[in-house]
Each structure stands twice: as C-alpha cells, then as structure tokens.
Amino acid sequence: MKKFLALSVLAALSHSAWADVNYSLAVTQPEHHLGNVSVEFPQTAQAHLDVKLPAWRTGRYEILNLANGVRFFEATGDNGKALEWEKIDASTWRVHLDKPTEVKIDYQVYANELGKRARHIDDSHAFIDASGFFMFSESFRQEPVTVKLDVPKAWRSVSGMDNAGSKHSFKAADYDVLVDSPIETGINELHKFAVDGRDYELVIWGKGNYDVEQMLEDLKKLVATGNIIWDAYPYQRYVFMVHATSGAGGATEHLNSTIIQRPRDRFGSREDYLAFISTAAHEFIHTWNVKAYRPEGLVPYDYTHINYDKLLWIAEGSTSYFEDHLMVRSGIATTDEFLNVLTKTVNRHLSSPGREVQSATETSFDKWINQGGDHARNYSTNIYSEGSLISMALDIDLLENSQGKQSYRDVHRALYNQYKMPHGFTATDVKTILKQLTGRDYSQWWANNVDAPADIDFDALFKKVGLVLERPKDAKAVASVDAMAKNTGELLTLTHVRRDGAAWQAGLTSDDKIVAINKKHIGKDLKSSLETFKAGDKVTIDFIRRDTLQSTTLTLAQSFDKDKKLVADKQATAQQMALFKAWMGVEHPNLVKK
C-alpha cells in the first residue's frame, strides 16, 4: 500500500491533474494541402515528454504511417525557450526537459489522403481525423482536450464533439474521444433532425447526384431501429458525414459519428443508393458493436502498434450481417433486394477457394497484414463476408433450436449489457453467453465454424427459413478456364486464377497475358472468346510471360452463364415461413405475394 501511495504521489507531481491539452489547427495553405498544428501540454516534471502521432486510425486495421506528413517540428517551454528534441521512432518525438514546464509543440501537416479518411485539406474543406493531425502523450492521454480551428470565414465546422465556446472549436473528455470524433469543416450543407429524443446531423461535402430528402427520410427510419437489437442507445447526438468525391470511396465508424465517401455520381441509381444507405446502416451498428463494446484485443487502442484480436469477424462481419436486417426491418430495402444482396455474398464466398484454407479466427488475427489480389482469393478469407455468413449460420441455428424465440441479436444485446467499454469480450465470453441463452454448449460448433474454415451447407441452412439457392431455369452451361481477366488493349491479362481450376492446372497464373486460343486471337473478354467451345474441350493457350511468348494445353471446365440465386421456396412449410419472419422480422415472400 505504501508503495502504491508513493507512486500515486509521484504521478500527481509529474503533471497537473485534469489540465487541458489544447490543440489548434490553422489551415494556412489549403490549395497545397497544408496546415499548421500547435499542441499545448500542461506542466510536467518528467525528464522528457514523448509525443506521438498514431500509426493507424480507428476503424481501419492497417498501419498507415501517418507521421510521414509531419515537417518543421518545434518544441518550446513555458518561457518560450526552445527545447531539445529527437525523433526516437517513426511516430515518436522525445522532448527533453531540464525543469518542470509546460510544453508547446508546433509542426506542419501535409493532408492529402482523402481515401484513407485520416487527413485531407484542400481549398473547399478539411476532414480532420485526430489520428492524422494531432499528436498525443501517454502522460496526458486521459486529460480533457480542446480543439480550435483557424479556417476561412465561409467554412462551417461540424463534429460529434461538443462546441467549446465558438463555432470552430470543440472539446472532448480525453484524447481517446478526440481521436474517435472527426471534424468536417469547409463549404458544406448541413441538415438537422431529431428521432425519439435524440439529435442527428447530416453534413455533406461535395456536389453529387444524391437526393437529400430521400437520404433524410431513410436515415430517420434507420436510426429508429437500434432497439431491434439493443436495449439502449449509447449516444444523445450523432453526425452522419458524407463526402461526394471524385473517386475516393469507403466509410469509417466513430464514437458519435460516421464518415461515408462515395464517388459523386454513385448515389442516383437504386443500386448505388442502396449501397450508400446500407453503408450508413453498417456504420450506425458500429456505434454499439465496436464503439460501445469490442473484442478484448482492441481494449485499449494502442495507436502506435497493432491491436491483434481473433474476433474481428464479430466486430466487422456481424455488423455487415445486421446491416441487412435493419434495412429490411425499417422498410428501407425490400425482401427481394435483401435476397439479391445475400445472393451476391454467398456466390462470392463459394467462388473463393480461400474459404477452404483460412478460418474466421485466422483472418481476424491477420487482418493487419492481409492483402487483396489473386493469392488472397485463393488462400484467404475476409472478416466482412466470412464473418457475415458465420453470423447468419449461428443466427438461424439459434432461431431453429428455440422455435424462433432466441437469435443472434440476443447475443449482441448481452455483449452490450455485460461488456461495455472499457471492458472487452473474449471468445470464451461469447460461448458463455450462448450457453446462458440456450443451455447448449457451442464449443464444438465454434471449433468447426470459427476456429476452422467454415463449411456451411447453404442448401440445408436456407431450407430452414423457406429459401432455396437455385440456378435460373434459363441458365446455360458454358466453357470456362476458371480464371478472370481484364482487357489491356490487344490482350487479356489474367487477374485471378482459381486454385486447382483449369487454368491453374495448365500452369497459368495471374499477370499472364493471353494472346490466342487455338491460334485464334482472343476477343474483348474470356467469355466471348470461349463461346464456340464446350466443357471438356482441350485447347491451346498462347500467352506472354516475362515478355516471352509461351504455350500450354488446357482442358476447359464447365460453368454457367448465370449464377445461382436465392429465392423463396414455393414449397415452404408454415414452420419454415414462421422461422423466416422470426429471422428477418417481415413476412416470408410467399405470404406477401398472396
């Protein structure tokens, strides 16, 4: 006890308790994507103060090397005198102190990475994720913070944080809240609305073919669906930030807001609009799943190192799974539109050989290093689609064994109630919840479907809820090389060669350039080039590799010109249709059509 008290006294003396850390950002040369940052740390008696810029940002499990945009670093004490400093690793600056002093840090940031959703400045706006702009010190990470912006007069600043006395200043309880509360400032349009006593804002930067009224109508429906899964909302105010871009796309969840990016002409069609609003649903769900409760390996965030965890398939995949439920239950998407989306997810899974190799546990742990491309498709899965399908299999299992009374929603309700931040949950915790809910031990199910590559029998699974995955009757058998290619002018370049498929067995690989089939120059795509052949035919493929013309013999495989499609089973029983309603919250398609 004496040792603990002594350490507490020393900690208290090292810096002033609950003294604000003050940040300011001056957008000085927006046309060159430059801003000047100042950070004022309270007085400290430490021998040195380490200040760091995160190496990654929340919601994107990838090292981004954000410190590469920092220049002109300076440190001064409370008397304005320059302090000695040195950089000790890629993201850490060590400021040496010879006496107790406040510390002010100044530096320039280059912000031209819109698609990474960490930092961007131009002559029309700035998107400010603190991880890309604002350094922190572990010594003051839990202290209150303020942010003041110096931006053009015509700009409007919006954040999930509270204002701090002016329209361009904000405050947060600590750095962790700051880093999870981005700011959009610039020329934008702002819409405010309220639902069930909670406040919402929609801020849009950039012109595009979006329909604001439609967006507002559906967002109001969406935010009313939280109680479908959880008992309470973890916020009082929430901000939807939308970027209509010249190409950048993607989205990121945050503590009290989300940022969604889409090309400016990708809002208009029904398909594009559903993609946008389902993304909003995904990020909205994250307000609970990841922000209010998250896997133990992500607690707390280590901003300069990797946070490994084997349950990212729950953090992301289960979120992807639930987004479709909220879309259907809110009436934003129809049942047919839901079935079309689910069909695509299942077909992508079945056409990816990596599903036979990598488990959800493995792909979660390796998310930080997993790369896309040909090898990934052949030997890896991803936390989004794999996690979504495993969540669906578990959900239907729970519903079937409880006659529709228990579902995967109950699991997430329990996670929210029992493991709110700053606590994290483990795989053992999830299995314990499953046993508490059902009285059944899910250890073997988990071993078969989560810790090993999941082998989902989709025919049997969908039959339980009155659906069938079938190929359209007018589908035709066609010849295939079991590969995908892109047109690169006069040639087709292979982009993916399916493991153990026809092209693979013939020795072809990605980046090979196909010149001819049976000495006939290839057409604009593989499909048209194979129209005169049938499965089982042996053909000669001429191709270029390392600038050398080569040749191989290939036996064509069988494929179809149309994928299987998930549709209502016309012979579905009353029990199956009842389970569908317990699953999706709406009537089975057979009953709707009647």
Side-chain angles (χ1 to χ4, degrees):
M1 178 60 73
K2 289 182 178 178
K3 183 177 181 181
F4 174 79
L5 289 174
L7 289 172
S8 298
V9 171
L10 285 173
L13 290 174
S14 67
H15 60 82
S16 302
W18 302 109
D20 288 4
V21 177
N22 299 312
Y23 293 91
S24 64
L25 169 65
V27 177
T28 53
Q29 301 178 65
E31 68 278 11
H32 297 300
H33 317 293
L34 295 173
N36 291 337
V37 175
S38 292
V39 190
E40 296 174 349
F41 292 102
Q43 187 179 87
T44 178
Q46 299 170 196
H48 62 261
L49 183 71
D50 286 347
V51 293
K52 308 176 182 182
L53 194 70
W56 61 283
R57 62 155 178 76
T58 63
R60 181 163 179 161
Y61 309 106
E62 176 187 354
I63 295 297
L64 298 175
N65 298 316
L66 296 170
N68 62 9
V70 174
R71 294 293 185 272
F72 305 117
F73 182 94
E74 295 178 353
T76 55
D78 52 15
N79 59 1
K81 184 178 179 181
L83 299 172
E84 292 185 7
W85 61 272
E86 60 180 321
K87 198 171 183 184
I88 62 173
D89 63 35
S91 299
T92 306
W93 288 256
R94 175 165 291 172
V95 181
H96 296 281
L97 311 174
D98 56 8
K99 64 178 182 178
T101 182
E102 296 176 357
V103 177
K104 183 183 178 186
I105 305 297
D106 293 281
Y107 52 91
Q108 183 191 79
V109 171
Y110 177 68
N112 191 25
E113 295 176 326
L114 181 63
K116 291 183 179 180
R117 294 178 295 287
R119 60 184 182 211
H120 188 253
I121 296 173
D122 67 15
D123 57 0
S124 69
H125 91 135
F127 177 73
I128 305 163
D129 184 304
S131 60
F133 284 88
F134 299 141
M135 295 184 185
F136 72 101
S137 170
E138 293 289 355
S139 301
F140 298 102
R141 179 169 165 175
Q142 297 181 346
E143 303 297 313
V145 302
T146 64
V147 178
K148 182 179 180 181
L149 305 179
D150 182 0
V151 296
K153 290 182 179 181
W155 286 18
R156 173 170 36 216
S157 300
V158 181
S159 176
M161 292 182 287
D162 292 332
N163 282 103
S166 72
K167 62 181 181 180
H168 296 300
S169 64
F170 301 93
K171 60 183 178 181
D174 53 38
Y175 185 82
D176 291 287
V177 174
L178 170 65
V179 85
D180 227 344
S181 306
I183 303 168
E184 173 61 34
T185 181
I187 305 298
N188 54 56
E189 59 177 290
L190 178 65
H191 304 271
K192 298 182 179 182
F193 59 96
V195 177
D196 296 333
R198 283 172 288 275
D199 296 321
Y200 297 90
E201 296 177 21
L202 169 64
V203 57
I204 306 174
W205 167 71
K207 300 299 182 181
N209 63 348
Y210 45 77
D211 182 337
V212 173
E213 294 306 315
Q214 184 69 58
M215 293 165 72
L216 289 170
E217 178 183 338
D218 287 336
L219 288 175
K220 290 175 183 177
K221 293 178 183 177
L222 174 64
V223 299
T225 61
N227 58 7
I228 289 172
I229 304 175
W230 301 280
D231 294 327
Y233 281 67
Y235 63 83
Q236 182 57 39
R237 175 172 164 267
Y238 190 89
V239 180
F240 291 94
M241 300 178 180
V242 176
H243 287 172
T245 74
S246 298
T252 303
E253 72 277 7
H254 287 287
L255 188 64
N256 44 31
S257 58
T258 181
I259 169 64
I260 302 171
Q261 296 176 328
R262 287 185 67 79
R264 64 183 75 257
D265 60 350
R266 295 291 302 278
F267 293 87
S269 71
R270 180 62 178 171
E271 183 179 2
D272 282 341
Y273 178 74
L274 283 176
F276 160 73
I277 201 68
S278 64
T279 299
H282 183 101
E283 308 309 334
F284 174 65
I285 292 165
H286 268 317
T287 315
W288 287 269
N289 185 21
V290 168
K291 294 308 174 185
Y293 60 91
R294 69 176 70 124
E296 186 178 66
L298 299 180
V299 181
Y301 286 137
D302 184 341
Y303 299 119
T304 55
H305 299 90
I306 290 174
N307 279 93
Y308 290 105
D309 196 272
K310 297 179 180 180
L311 295 178
L312 287 183
W313 70 269
I314 291 181
E316 293 293 347
S318 296
T319 300
S320 294
Y321 174 65
F322 281 136
E323 74 185 58
D324 293 323
H325 285 248
L326 298 196
M327 292 278 286
V328 171
R329 289 171 181 265
S330 65
I332 297 172
T334 66
T335 304
D336 285 344
E337 288 170 333
F338 158 67
L339 293 179
N340 287 338
V341 170
L342 183 53
T343 293
K344 291 178 182 179
T345 302
V346 172
N347 283 332
R348 278 196 302 267
H349 170 82
L350 293 175
S351 64
S352 300
R355 64 186 169 84
E356 303 167 343
V357 177
Q358 194 173 57
S359 70
T361 294
E362 293 169 326
T363 193
S364 293
F365 193 84
D366 284 349
K367 176 64 179 75
W368 294 85
I369 61 172
N370 275 351
Q371 300 294 321
D374 183 56
H375 182 264
R377 188 161 185 166
N378 277 323
Y379 291 97
S380 305
T381 53
N382 74 74
I383 57 177
Y384 296 91
S385 60
E386 197 73 3
S388 176
L389 293 173
I390 291 172
S391 298
M392 178 180 69
L394 179 54
D395 195 10
I396 294 177
D397 180 89
L398 288 166
L399 288 162
E400 180 190 29
N401 284 283
S402 65
Q403 291 74 52
K405 296 178 182 178
Q406 293 171 334
S407 73
Y408 192 46
R409 288 177 283 125
D410 296 304
V411 176
H412 278 261
R413 185 179 299 117
L415 287 171
Y416 177 54
N417 291 335
Q418 298 177 32
Y419 295 96
K420 285 190 180 77
M421 287 290 296
H423 304 289
F425 65 86
T426 66
T428 298
D429 296 327
V430 180
K431 285 182 275 188
T432 297
I433 289 173
L434 286 166
K435 190 168 185 178
Q436 290 171 344
L437 287 172
T438 67
R440 298 163 57 207
D441 186 350
Y442 272 79
S443 297
Q444 191 58 53
W445 187 97
W446 196 277
N448 293 341
N449 294 282
V450 178
D451 291 336
D455 185 16
I456 301 174
D457 184 341
F458 288 108
D459 291 332
L461 185 67
F462 289 130
K463 184 176 182 179
K464 296 175 182 179
V465 290
L467 301 176
V468 60
L469 187 64
E470 63 181 16
R471 201 173 301 281
K473 292 181 180 180
D474 59 347
K476 297 178 182 179
V478 295
S480 171
V481 297
D482 291 332
M484 294 188 295
K486 65 179 178 181
N487 193 306
T488 52
E490 293 296 317
L491 305 174
L492 294 180
T493 300
L494 295 180
T495 57
H496 169 62
V497 177
R498 184 169 66 79
R499 177 168 52 83
D500 296 330
W504 179 284
Q505 293 178 8
L508 293 169
T509 189
S510 58
D511 294 326
D512 284 344
K513 295 176 175 59
I514 308 301
V515 177
I517 300 177
N518 282 358
K519 304 304 178 182
K520 183 179 179 181
H521 187 263
I522 49 90
K524 63 180 181 179
D525 56 48
L526 280 174
K527 181 180 178 181
S528 61
S529 298
L530 295 172
E531 287 178 346
T532 59
F533 299 97
K534 62 180 182 297
D537 287 349
K538 288 188 177 180
V539 297
T540 299
I541 304 290
D542 294 324
F543 63 99
I544 294 174
R545 181 186 296 171
R546 294 187 300 274
D547 299 323
T548 302
L549 183 64
Q550 302 184 42
S551 184
T552 186
T553 300
L554 182 151
T555 301
L556 294 171
Q558 178 176 281
S559 185
F560 292 87
D561 63 349
K562 293 183 180 179
D563 291 330
K564 287 186 176 181
K565 187 175 181 180
L566 192 59
V567 297
D569 184 353
K570 295 179 180 178
Q571 307 302 317
T573 65
Q575 182 179 3
Q576 291 168 335
M577 289 189 287
L579 200 63
F580 179 93
K581 185 173 183 179
W583 176 42
M584 292 306 302
V586 296
E587 295 290 355
H588 187 275
N590 287 358
L591 297 178
V592 174
K593 290 175 182 178
K594 287 182 179 180

